[in-house]
Amino acid sequence: ADDVKGYLSYLAADHPNLVVDLHRIHFLDSAGCGALVHAHRRCQEAGGDLRVCRASEPVKTVLGLARLARLLHLHDTREEAVAGFGPAS
């Protein structure tokens, strides 16, 4: 989780609008949730946002229980996540 947190923070500096595709993640604990929340905050500080897509049912459950599904803009597909940023300027 620390590696992911650091990498997402690094990316957010130059790319404030990030989509995190979780389709290969089948388990998410509090450290993973914390890494996503930290990345979300970094994206917002950089003037953008973080979106999450393709989460498995167990991951969706954890995000829902932690009340993070809405904060992290959970989407079913990458296309929906990207479209959530609105038209390109």
Side-chain angles (χ1 to χ4, degrees):
D2 287 337
D3 290 344
V4 171
K5 181 177 170 181
Y7 187 65
L8 289 175
S9 292
Y10 167 77
L11 287 174
D14 291 327
H15 308 284
N17 286 326
L18 290 179
V19 173
V20 178
D21 187 329
L22 297 178
H23 81 279
R24 296 174 76 186
I25 306 300
H26 301 287
F27 174 79
L28 189 69
D29 62 7
S30 61
C33 288
L36 290 172
V37 169
H38 179 79
H40 178 265
R41 189 173 342 124
R42 294 302 237 176
C43 287
Q44 287 193 323
E45 289 170 357
D49 206 354
L50 178 123
R51 309 235 173 225
V52 174
C53 69
R54 301 191 333 152
S56 65
E57 287 305 317
V59 170
K60 284 182 186 178
T61 298
V62 170
L63 292 173
L65 290 172
R67 298 180 185 234
L68 295 177
R70 180 180 271 172
L71 173 75
L72 298 176
H73 308 284
L74 194 58
H75 297 277
D76 290 330
T77 68
R78 287 183 196 176
E79 293 78 15
E80 288 175 8
V82 171
F85 292 121
S89 307

